[in-house]
Amino acid sequence: MKIQSKNLESIVQAFSDLPGIGQKSALRIAIHMLSQPREKIDYFISSLNSVSEIKRCIHCHNLSDGDICAICQDKSRNQSLICVVENIQDIMAIEETGQYRGGYHVLGGVISPIEGVGPEQLNIESLLDRVNKGLVNEIIMAISPTIDGETTVYYLSKMLKTSQVRISQIARGVAFGGELQYTDEITLGRSILARLPYAVNGND
Amino acid sequence: MKIQSKNLESIVQAFSDLPGIGQKSALRIAIHMLSQPREKIDYFISSLNSVSEIKRCIHCHNLSDGDICAICQDKSRNQSLICVVENIQDIMAIEETGQYRGGYHVLGGVISPIEGVGPEQLNIESLLDRVNKGLVNEIIMAISPTIDGETTVYYLSKMLKTSQVRISQIARGVAFGGELQYTDEITLGRSILARLPYAVNGND
């Protein structure tokens, strides 16, 4: 794109470097910015400046404004129950359900030989620390059901074998609201093998 | 979305206020920002700061770093030929073609009674000024072929009637590479009525 203003070009460049924003969207955003009052832009800039104030929770590696995140600080939650997730988006997704009142542990990814991610690059040591301190009763593995995810769960379960902690995994099967005929064969096949006794109120 | 960090929330909010960016994309961008080195963020912020340095060209209302834009300053261009467009994106689109070596005039929109845009809100006065100063030989109307666009072209042509300036309009018809059977009936019908004598090299 031919942009006559060098300043505008640098704004377009800055936005198009962001994930999911192409040249055209970046231009649209930049032109939108031009029409904004200066206070709006200053507010935007001050938000960006606060990036450096965002920390990682020393317990669970969730994002946090202080050393310990809001979830780890929450006394009303069962802190001896830990849900192991890949990233903070997963925490947000689980929190969104309103079904979980325990703690978390963010691995920061999954073991992936192809992408060169080994166990030592993930927050596994700190998870074992929490377990070894006797702070944990149960660990729920909420890891994506991919080959790398399965490998990671297997690795973690081996590392946790000697501890007294109970290990569980989130249920897998046909999605609610999904139609059987459109469910992929692996999911459908496994959901038959892993069938549960019927109860009127689900698992209650 | 439940975001535990207030700082992160404010970044997500700032990005999701931008056009075409939803909550999920904003979160993805914010998390991407967290992984960036501080210099990258500072560069982003300094780009944004330069918003206030972007001006409007005093002649054609194109965006510019100085008082007069690069196109109006370019002596190799035919400054007596003016292409009237709605917005600066249209200038970029026309520049992209490499087919035009004249000047521009950005109206800043089209006359739209429904959206409450009258001629006085558009840069029409300054266009008439340029014409009255005898600086213009021909005006090309490159306005979207919509009802509001047609109204605007009609209004402009009436305002320019007393001047000696030639008025033309960009060609409309079947798009290059388009298939006739998929062309809408209005475009196809008009392209038959407005047929041109066949020439081996187009209009040459």
Side-chain angles (χ1 to χ4, degrees), chain A residues 1-11 13-15 17-21 25 27-34 36 38 40-54 56 62-65 69-71 77 88-89 91-92 95-96 98, chain B residues 1-11 13-15 17-21 25 27-34 36 38 40-54 56 62-65 69-71 77 88-89 91-92 95-96 98:
Chain A
M1 231 164 333
K2 294 189 185 179
I3 299 173
Q4 274 82 39
S5 156
K6 286 260 168 291
N7 288 316
L8 182 66
E9 203 171 356
S10 91
I11 301 174
Q13 191 53 50
F15 276 104
D17 282 347
L18 298 176
I21 299 185
S25 308
L27 179 63
R28 193 165 147 227
I29 292 169
I31 288 169
H32 166 84
M33 281 279 175
L34 290 177
Q36 296 297 301
R38 185 67 214 184
K40 269 247 170 180
I41 290 161
D42 288 338
Y43 171 75
F44 195 94
I45 289 173
S46 80
S47 297
L48 283 179
N49 263 321
S50 68
V51 161
S52 9
E53 282 157 45
I54 300 175
R56 289 281 178 171
N62 186 11
L63 294 179
S64 170
D65 291 331
C69 78
I71 292 176
R77 300 181 77 119
I88 65 141
Q89 286 99 314
I91 295 189
M92 290 176 201
E95 286 298 291
E96 201 74 13
Chain B
M1 234 166 328
K2 294 188 183 178
I3 299 173
Q4 272 82 38
S5 156
K6 287 261 169 291
N7 288 316
L8 182 66
E9 203 171 354
S10 92
I11 300 173
Q13 190 54 49
F15 277 104
D17 281 347
L18 298 176
I21 300 186
S25 307
L27 178 64
R28 192 165 147 227
I29 292 168
I31 288 169
H32 166 84
M33 281 279 175
L34 290 177
Q36 296 297 300
R38 185 67 215 183
K40 268 247 171 179
I41 291 161
D42 287 338
Y43 172 75
F44 194 94
I45 289 173
S46 81
S47 297
L48 283 179
N49 262 321
S50 67
V51 160
S52 9
E53 283 158 45
I54 301 174
R56 288 283 178 169
N62 186 11
L63 295 179
S64 171
D65 292 331
C69 77
I71 291 177
R77 300 182 77 120
I88 65 141
Q89 287 99 313
I91 295 188
M92 291 176 200
E95 286 299 291
E96 201 74 11

